[in-house]
Amino acid sequence: MATKIATAAAVVAATGGAGRRGSAEARRRRLIAAAFLLPALLLLGALVVHPIGYSVYRSFFDRSGDTFVGGGNYREILNDDTIRTALGNTAIWVVLAPTTATALGLIFAVLTERVRWGTAFKLLVFMPMAISMLAAGIIFRLVYDHDPDRGVANAVWVGVHDTFAEASAFPKARPGRDSPLAPAEGGGYVTRDPVRAGVPALLPLVGVAPEALPEGTRAARPAAAEPGKVTGTAWQDFTRGGGGRTNAVDPTESAFAGMRIEAVKDGAVVDSASARADGTFTLSERADGALLRLPASNFREAYAGVQWLGPALVTPAIIGAYVWMWAGFAMVLIGAGLATVPRELLEAARVDGASEWQVFRRITVPLLAPVLAVVLVTLVINVMKVFDLVFVIAPGAVQDDANVLAFQLYRTSFGTNADPGLGSAIAVLLLVLVVPVMLYNIRRMRREARR
């Protein structure tokens, strides 16, 4: 019995000693881990925690930082029209940019699996990610230039438009002094008096710069009288260098080749013709006693394209530049997720008679849901702080219309008439808006880790 008691005491003593040694070892490991983590924690505190805390503190003070204003800066956010515009535009960004980039990335990832040159296509789509936001902004500032000779977007748009509705060569033409022409109802011009067969009609116009006349324009000449027909001349009644006679065809004056002329009786067009290369035209006997009308189509202004960077379209235009950059990022991540999708499920669905659209909608997309969530959340956080593209692409006149919170933060804190207190309040608001998205992302990652 004494032997058993002694043995038990020895076991307890040995176990206690091992426990103490294990506890000391655990403490030593925790100290080593803390020593390695300390530099990172100090850096995190200096670069993240302290700036956040100071921003919250500074947001309760006025511009100078000497007077406590409480929630005054936050009330200013709600009352300032410019900041409210920034909030609205940020909401548009959050809704449109991530969903569009993710949708395009999904489409590209799925379609490039079916073509032999898919890798090359993926490389081209992903390449914009290698460009800085500043460089992309400069590129798209040129793409969206209003001048079709410089801006690619308007060059294409104007080219398509002019294919179906060609502009006139004489948009600035108008009657001159003592002209026989008067403004017509609905645009264009009409003769003041009816014309007669056998008496040449004169249709003088001014206002077209000599260098703006079509290439190959010839000198005008007076029309010859033809029995039973109405003839005349449409020309620019202007002699370069001065001189010349008003409402008379002078030798050096230019013809308006291609000008459309209509003969109108009782409001109806009875005949029409186009001016020849020398400006002369001929109408049949039906035009006798009619008024000659130059329809408004002769003076249609050249189509200048779309104001991509105007107040109405500047935000969608900048979002387009963002999508161009980040669709490749979405495509690569979604493509990686697509590579893990079991092909047996897809083939089984096709064997069971499912169409490609049904396979995509009911199998591919649900299986890619975790990856799509990662891409979408990442892009939402990214667009919350977009600044570079707005700063570079939006012209100064429409920066208020293109404003977003991150850009307004910069303007308020560092622009002319800077207000650090209000800028800090905007920074805190931006942080508050990002936190829910970050919390959702953390919860989603933990949920994925438990599976």
Side-chain angles (χ1 to χ4, degrees):
M1 187 66 177
T3 304
K4 290 181 179 180
I5 293 173
T7 303
V11 170
V12 169
T15 304
R20 285 193 294 272
R21 286 195 300 273
S23 177
E25 181 67 20
R27 284 196 298 271
R28 189 177 69 83
R29 289 180 177 178
R30 283 197 294 270
L31 287 173
I32 292 174
F36 277 101
L37 285 174
L38 185 60
L41 292 175
L42 290 175
L43 196 62
L44 184 68
L47 299 182
V48 178
V49 178
H50 176 265
I52 291 175
Y54 181 75
S55 295
V56 173
Y57 167 80
R58 186 66 178 83
S59 68
F60 294 112
F61 289 83
D62 68 350
R63 186 191 308 269
S64 65
D66 299 327
T67 305
F68 181 80
V69 295
N73 288 322
Y74 295 96
R75 287 193 295 271
E76 179 68 17
I77 290 175
L78 300 177
N79 295 329
D80 189 285
D81 291 337
T82 302
I83 300 177
R84 286 210 302 268
T85 300
L87 275 168
N89 286 341
T90 301
I92 293 173
W93 271 87
V94 168
V95 172
L96 289 183
T99 52
T100 305
T102 303
L104 285 176
L106 175 61
I107 293 170
F108 291 157
V110 171
L111 293 183
T112 50
E113 278 204 329
R114 298 176 172 274
V115 293
R116 258 192 291 179
W117 40 269
T119 303
F121 180 81
K122 286 181 179 179
L123 179 63
L124 289 175
V125 175
F126 187 75
M127 195 176 295
M129 282 294 299
I131 302 173
S132 70
M133 285 279 199
L134 178 63
I138 294 172
I139 290 170
F140 274 87
R141 181 67 181 267
L142 294 174
V143 167
Y144 291 136
D145 195 289
H146 186 60
D147 185 356
D149 293 332
R150 296 180 60 193
V152 175
N154 262 344
V156 174
W157 194 268
V158 170
V160 172
H161 176 275
D162 288 350
T163 301
F164 300 98
E166 188 175 355
S168 166
F170 319 108
K172 303 294 185 183
R174 66 184 187 280
R177 177 169 51 88
D178 300 326
S179 174
L181 295 170
E185 185 178 351
Y189 304 100
V190 65
T191 55
R192 298 178 187 275
D193 301 312
V195 294
R196 295 297 175 188
V199 180
L202 298 175
L203 304 179
L205 295 165
V206 296
V208 181
E211 61 273 12
L213 288 168
E215 188 177 350
T217 295
R218 291 167 51 180
R221 70 175 179 85
E226 296 185 28
K229 294 184 178 180
V230 174
T231 60
T233 305
W235 85 103
Q236 170 137 289
D237 190 17
F238 171 79
T239 301
R240 183 178 287 190
R245 298 163 296 160
T246 303
N247 298 330
V249 182
D250 294 309
T252 60
E253 293 176 344
S254 300
F256 281 157
M259 180 75 73
R260 186 74 175 166
I261 300 102
E262 297 175 344
V264 180
K265 284 184 179 179
D266 300 324
V269 177
V270 297
D271 199 7
S272 63
S274 295
R276 304 182 187 95
D278 58 6
T280 60
F281 61 89
T282 303
L283 297 167
S284 67
E285 66 278 359
R286 293 192 300 272
D288 185 26
L291 295 175
L292 297 188
R293 181 174 67 188
L294 303 178
S297 58
N298 287 316
F299 313 104
R300 185 186 298 118
E301 292 279 353
Y303 182 63
V306 178
Q307 286 276 6
W308 298 106
L309 299 181
L313 293 178
V314 63
T315 294
I318 299 173
I319 290 175
Y322 178 89
V323 170
W324 176 77
M325 289 193 68
W326 288 88
F329 167 81
M331 178 194 67
V332 169
L333 290 189
I334 295 170
L338 193 60
T340 65
V341 173
R343 301 299 164 184
E344 299 81 8
L345 291 177
L346 305 181
E347 294 302 326
R350 294 188 181 103
V351 170
D352 288 342
S355 65
E356 290 299 325
W357 169 246
Q358 289 173 323
V359 171
F360 174 76
R361 184 166 61 91
R362 296 183 178 275
I363 298 177
T364 304
V365 172
L367 289 176
L368 288 175
V371 179
L372 295 176
V374 170
V375 174
L376 199 60
V377 170
T378 302
L379 293 181
V380 166
I381 295 173
N382 186 268
V383 300
M384 285 275 197
K385 55 187 180 178
V386 68
F387 164 80
D388 319 60
L389 290 178
V390 178
F391 180 73
V392 176
I393 295 178
V398 296
Q399 283 191 346
D400 283 346
D401 300 283
N403 204 8
V404 291
L405 278 177
F407 185 52
Q408 183 61 33
L409 168 61
Y410 166 77
R411 297 171 74 187
T412 303
S413 302
F414 305 107
T416 56
N417 199 27
D419 187 342
L422 182 58
S424 298
I426 296 174
V428 173
L429 173 62
L430 197 55
L431 175 64
V432 169
L433 293 176
V434 171
V435 164
V437 184
M438 296 177 64
L439 292 177
Y440 167 79
N441 206 24
I442 293 171
R443 289 182 59 189
R444 184 194 54 76
M445 288 190 294
R446 288 178 176 174
R447 192 166 54 248
E448 290 293 324
R450 287 195 298 266
R451 289 182 179 178

